[in-house]
């Protein structure tokens, strides 16, 4: 397999040519004179040609050196430009942020914020990916994602934006017809709607003030992979649902559904911004994280 070009030696050679001095190149590059001299010698050995004619007072390019000098100078300039562009991307908010967000939360809570963010940061663009499935941020090339759950152990870096309580709810018409459960275990006798992407699918967990715990596997006629899709059947009085505040909060406020099992709480979830592990986040990702933090930290929990 062919070796990669010796880019370091080519860059050092270009700098020596530019400054017409090994000592000056050594000083500008913050390298020892020996390192500069060895790099040029290494390049000469690799190419099989002398690049400089050197005397104690004079440094002159050979024919081979003159032919290489222009290309080496261009490589050095391109490398410096690429590095400066990358540095600018990491220190100034500029460029594309690929953001993965759950479907309903993205439409209802994130998309309405984007006009303000984009106006505030005109050099940043957003590629918003909406899906309730857990996205592989690293494998699919995302800069960040929002997760609404109790996060499992992960190599991802997580930043909590706000709490997100869940409620067990039913329409008044359902409760009139089938009765009001007063203990989580009663749910096994009721029609309940399922959601595909719970952290423990098909199991609802509860704890009361006395520390008693209960887990139940409710069943019913409808299972969805998007929480908002259950609202029509829920409001129509066809069953009981376990939903986060951002989906069911308006229906609770309007009286279309009621919170049941008020003496029982479910494990508290939260909205987290997650990013791949590694070095510092680029400025474009950091400003988006700060923007979302400011907005979502203003949210208030609904009393159960």
């Amino acid at each position: 397999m062919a070796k990669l070009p010796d880019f370091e030696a080519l860059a050092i050679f270009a700098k020596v040519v530019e400054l017409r001095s090994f000592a000056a190149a050594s000083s500008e590059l913050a390298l020892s004179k020996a390192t500069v001299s060895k790099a040029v010698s290494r390049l000469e050995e690799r190419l099989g040609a002398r690049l400089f004619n050197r005397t104690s007072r004079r440094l002159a390019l050979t024919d081979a050196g003159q032919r290489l000098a222009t290309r080496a100078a261009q490589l050095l300039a391109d490398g410096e430009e690429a590095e400066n562009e990358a540095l600018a991307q990491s220190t100034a908010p500029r460029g594309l942020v690929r953001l993965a967000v759950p479907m309903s939360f993205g439409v209802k809570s994130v998309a309405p914020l984007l006009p303000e963010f984009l106006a505030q940061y005109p050099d940043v663009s957003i590629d918003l990916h909406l899906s309730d499935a857990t996205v592989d941020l690293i494998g699919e090339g995302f800069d960040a994602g929002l997760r609404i759950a109790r996060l499992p152990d992960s190599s991802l870096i997580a930043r909590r934006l706000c709490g997100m309580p869940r409620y067990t709810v039913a329409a008044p018409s359902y409760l009139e017809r089938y009765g009001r459960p007063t203990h989580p275990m009663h749910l096994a006798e009721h029609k309940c709607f399922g959601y595909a992407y719970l952290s423990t699918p098909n199991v609802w967990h509860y704890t009361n003030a006395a520390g008693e715990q209960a887990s139940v596997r409710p069943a019913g006629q409808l299972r969805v992979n998007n929480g908002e899709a259950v609202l029509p059947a829920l409001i129509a009085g066809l069953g009981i649902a376990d939903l986060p505040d951002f989906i069911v909060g308006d229906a609770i406020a309007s009286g279309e559904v009621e919170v049941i099992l008020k003496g029982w709480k479910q494990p508290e979830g939260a909205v987290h911004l997650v990013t791949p592990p590694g070095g510092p986040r680029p400025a474009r990702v950091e400003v988006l994280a700060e923007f979302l933090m400011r907005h979502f930290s203003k949210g208030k929990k609904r009393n159960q």
Side-chain angles (χ1 to χ4, degrees), residues 194-199 201-202 223-226:
Y195 175 60
Y197 294 126
L198 288 176
S199 56
N202 303 321
R223 187 171 186 266
V224 300
N225 67 355
N226 175 269

Side-chain angles (χ1 to χ4, degrees), residues 243-264:
L243 294 169
D245 184 75
F246 73 89
I247 288 179
V248 78
D250 290 343
I252 294 173
S254 69
E256 292 174 293
V257 301
E258 299 178 22
V259 177
I260 61 174
L261 300 175
K262 290 189 177 181
W264 296 82

Side-chain angles (χ1 to χ4, degrees), residues 185-258:
M185 301 311 294
H186 296 163
L187 294 173
E189 304 165 7
H190 284 265
K191 302 174 186 293
C192 298
F193 301 125
Y195 175 60
Y197 294 126
L198 288 176
S199 56
T200 53
N202 303 321
V203 181
W204 299 356
H205 302 282
Y206 297 88
T207 306
N208 64 14
E212 181 186 356
Q213 297 184 348
S215 297
V216 62
R217 288 181 176 271
Q221 293 176 281
L222 180 63
R223 187 171 186 266
V224 300
N225 67 355
N226 175 269
E228 202 165 13
V230 85
L231 285 177
L234 174 68
I235 293 170
L238 300 181
I240 294 172
D242 167 44
L243 294 169
D245 184 75
F246 73 89
I247 288 179
V248 78
D250 290 343
I252 294 173
S254 69
E256 292 174 293
V257 301
E258 299 178 22

Side-chain angles (χ1 to χ4, degrees), residues 104-105 108-109 148 162-169 227-228 231 234 241-254 257 259 266-271 296 298-304:
S104 294
F105 189 74
K108 294 166 69 73
S109 301
I148 306 173
C162 65
M164 184 54 66
R166 301 185 67 85
Y167 303 107
T168 306
V169 292
E228 202 165 13
L231 285 177
L234 174 68
D242 167 44
L243 294 169
D245 184 75
F246 73 89
I247 288 179
V248 78
D250 290 343
I252 294 173
S254 69
V257 301
V259 177
Q266 292 158 278
E268 176 77 1
V271 181
F296 289 123
K298 298 173 185 176
K300 297 180 180 179
K301 294 171 61 175
R302 190 181 309 277
N303 293 325
Q304 282 196 357

Side-chain angles (χ1 to χ4, degrees), residues 18 45 74 91 113 186 260 274:
E18 176 189 338
E45 182 178 349
Q74 187 61 54
T91 58
L113 301 177
H186 296 163
I260 61 174
V274 292

Side-chain angles (χ1 to χ4, degrees), residues 118-143:
L118 295 173
Q120 188 173 345
Y121 297 99
D123 293 327
V124 178
S125 54
I126 303 290
D127 179 357
L128 183 63
H129 176 88
L130 299 174
S131 173
D132 285 348
T134 300
V135 172
D136 179 357
L137 295 188
I138 298 172
E140 297 185 39
F142 285 95
D143 296 291

Side-chain angles (χ1 to χ4, degrees), residues 31-71:
L31 298 173
S32 68
K33 292 180 182 179
T35 298
V36 171
S37 180
K38 285 178 182 178
V40 173
S41 296
R42 188 170 73 240
L43 193 58
E44 288 177 328
E45 182 178 349
R46 181 177 179 127
L47 299 176
R50 180 179 291 276
L51 300 175
F52 291 105
N53 288 317
R54 288 172 265 186
T55 68
S56 59
R57 295 187 177 183
R58 191 164 180 267
L59 183 67
L61 285 167
T62 64
D63 289 342
Q66 288 175 346
R67 288 193 297 270
L68 182 62
T70 300
R71 291 290 186 89

